Amino acid sequence: MKVIILAGGGGTRLWPVSRKKSPKQSQKILGQETLLQKTFKRLKKGLNLNSIYISTGQDYYQEVKKQIPALKKSQYILEPQAKNTAAAIGLAACILHKKNPEEIMVMANADHYIDKEAEYIRVLKTAEKAVQKYPNQTVLIGLKPEYPETGYGYIKFSSLKDKIGKYKIYQGDRFVEKPDHKKAKQYIKKGHYLWNPAMFCWRVEHLLNLFKKHLPAHYQSLMKIQKARGTKKEKSTLEKEFKKMKNISIDFGLMEKIKKMLVIPASFGWIDVGSWRSVKEILSKNPGENVIRGNHIGVDTKGTMVYNLSQQLIATAGVEDMIIINTSDAILVCPLDQAQKVKKIVARLKKQNKNKYL
């Protein structure tokens, strides 16, 4: 099995620390290691080094290589431009397929936090066994909801299909978009819904057949890229064909259209590091605790995260449940429960052509 770490994000949800040229996976958001380094270290504990690949943009390669020097260049899958996850995952599949059509690949994201790392590795290996047993199915890892989260998509599952070791394998029914609070509560009550962390596992031959059926234009480009691998036309073909691909996610392009999928319910302390609120949740032991990085003094400050990368002093008084982020050229201030709106700020900066802040 090969694990593909997706590390090509553009830096929007953790702005202003995360930027286009230095996205969140390259930042030391949660400690002394970057999110990418933490992901790599987690996988290396339970998998062979040769099984780990990183998918990222060509522009990020030098920076990523500094962070993960242990991997050979052949273990980096470099996209000539950002075209979303369908193109990135398809490129990885066609490269692995040329070496071995029966290879199994599983997706890992560079911006996920996982508390129970040994359990996570066990679940990945169970997904591999499930694909070996059912090579023409997509195997998903779904996470047992801990509360009615409205920021995640869900997977609806039905009947028990099999059991591998201690893990039950269910028939997957469909993907469900991010619900409102009322629906999320209903999902938890019904019990047949799991959080969707985008942890997908396939045999590469089956995955490419899914591209052929549901994203035929992608498939044609991927086959041309695969044919040119190892020739003088490799670079030019990759650039030409990648440019043609529609900018679409694997979720919309493939996953929502497939009929055959199996789901493994799991629980290993997962959090998507997708907002400053999630960073606060990881770094604090309780909601009322402050998380302070950098120069700060506070009076009657509660449940607040201050992330100060400048030499300036940030002083707070009577502040509760807030996010305050200070870099050399930008300051973000927002309530903790409004953290998802940060990407709207980035969108507005793009619209106003304030590119120096992106």
Side-chain angles (χ1 to χ4, degrees):
M1 177 175 71
K2 306 298 188 212
V3 182
I4 312 297
I5 302 173
L6 293 178
T12 58
R13 296 186 293 173
L14 292 182
W15 184 90
V17 172
S18 178
R19 305 286 180 103
K20 189 175 182 180
K21 291 184 179 178
S22 54
K24 62 184 175 182
Q25 61 267 23
S26 299
Q27 301 291 332
K28 297 176 181 179
I29 303 287
L30 301 179
Q32 296 306 307
E33 295 175 306
T34 68
L35 294 175
L36 176 58
Q37 286 171 328
K38 285 179 178 291
T39 301
F40 175 72
K41 197 172 180 179
R42 177 191 311 138
L43 291 167
K44 197 175 70 165
K45 287 178 182 177
L47 299 169
N48 188 295
L49 190 64
N50 292 328
S51 299
I52 303 171
Y53 286 68
I54 294 176
S55 171
T56 191
Q58 288 179 0
D59 292 344
Y60 297 143
Y61 173 66
Q62 293 301 329
E63 172 59 33
V64 171
K65 182 66 177 173
K66 286 179 190 174
Q67 292 184 51
I68 315 292
L71 294 185
K72 295 176 287 189
K73 188 170 184 180
S74 60
Q75 289 170 269
Y76 285 91
I77 298 167
L78 303 178
E79 305 160 64
Q81 57 183 276
K83 281 298 185 84
N84 218 315
T85 52
I89 291 169
L91 179 61
C94 84
I95 289 171
L96 295 180
H97 180 268
K98 186 157 188 175
K99 295 178 182 177
N100 177 14
E102 296 183 2
E103 184 65 79
I104 293 169
M105 65 180 267
V106 66
M107 309 315 302
N109 286 283
D111 55 356
H112 288 178
Y113 169 82
I114 291 169
D115 184 39
K116 300 172 185 175
E117 296 185 344
E119 175 65 9
Y120 168 69
I121 295 295
R122 284 192 290 269
V123 173
L124 287 188
K125 291 181 176 179
T126 302
E128 177 188 18
K129 290 175 184 175
V131 172
Q132 287 171 342
K133 197 169 183 180
Y134 303 98
N136 294 317
Q137 296 245 26
T138 298
V139 174
L140 319 171
I141 296 168
L143 297 170
K144 298 168 187 175
E146 297 173 18
Y147 53 89
E149 173 61 58
T150 59
Y152 301 152
Y154 286 70
I155 304 165
K156 185 178 183 294
F157 67 97
S158 54
S159 57
L160 182 66
K161 174 80 172 180
D162 205 342
K163 193 175 181 183
I164 297 177
K166 68 174 184 176
Y167 299 98
K168 293 179 179 178
I169 316 293
Y170 290 89
Q171 193 68 51
D173 280 357
R174 61 188 174 91
F175 292 92
V176 182
E177 282 300 301
K178 297 172 183 178
D180 57 28
H181 189 71
K182 184 179 178 181
K183 277 189 178 178
K185 285 176 72 175
Q186 290 174 355
Y187 292 164
I188 289 180
K189 189 176 180 181
K190 288 177 181 176
H192 279 267
Y193 292 83
L194 301 165
W195 287 342
N196 176 20
M199 296 178 185
F200 310 132
C201 189
W202 310 267
R203 191 161 80 164
V204 290
E205 188 172 46
H206 173 62
L207 175 55
L208 289 174
N209 283 334
L210 292 176
F211 270 92
K212 188 176 183 179
K213 182 177 181 180
H214 300 296
L215 287 172
H218 272 63
Y219 177 78
Q220 289 172 11
S221 289
L222 291 170
M223 290 300 97
K224 289 176 183 177
I225 290 168
Q226 187 187 69
K227 188 177 179 181
R229 291 277 295 174
T231 73
K232 292 179 181 180
K233 293 184 178 180
E234 179 175 350
K235 188 175 183 292
S236 61
T237 303
L238 175 62
E239 290 175 356
K240 180 184 175 182
E241 296 302 325
F242 220 81
K243 190 175 183 180
K244 290 181 186 177
M245 291 189 203
K246 186 179 178 182
N247 189 322
I248 190 170
S249 71
I250 193 79
D251 303 78
F252 290 116
L254 284 188
M255 304 306 289
E256 293 184 358
K257 298 173 183 175
I258 61 176
K259 305 288 185 187
K260 293 182 178 180
M261 55 182 174
L262 301 175
V263 186
I264 305 171
S267 182
F268 37 70
W270 171 86
I271 297 176
D272 176 17
V273 189
S275 71
W276 285 113
R277 180 175 185 169
S278 63
V279 174
K280 166 74 167 55
E281 288 174 359
I282 293 166
L283 295 177
S284 61
K285 294 177 182 177
N286 59 72
E289 183 182 3
N290 294 319
V291 173
I292 308 298
R293 293 285 176 87
N295 197 7
H296 169 261
I297 186 167
V299 176
D300 296 330
T301 297
K302 182 181 178 184
T304 290
M305 184 167 79
V306 176
Y307 203 100
N308 187 3
L309 297 180
S310 76
Q311 297 302 311
Q312 293 175 302
L313 170 69
I314 293 179
T316 57
V319 171
E320 187 171 345
D321 296 334
M322 293 292 290
I323 294 168
I324 302 168
I325 313 295
N326 186 25
T327 67
S328 61
D329 64 347
I331 299 170
L332 169 70
V333 180
C334 74
L336 200 62
D337 62 3
Q338 301 290 310
Q340 292 289 350
K341 291 183 178 178
V342 171
K343 61 184 178 182
K344 292 185 178 181
I345 294 173
V346 176
R348 189 161 295 186
L349 289 171
K350 286 179 182 176
K351 191 174 181 180
Q352 296 179 5
N353 293 318
K354 295 187 176 181
N355 297 321
K356 69 175 183 177
Y357 299 113
L358 293 174

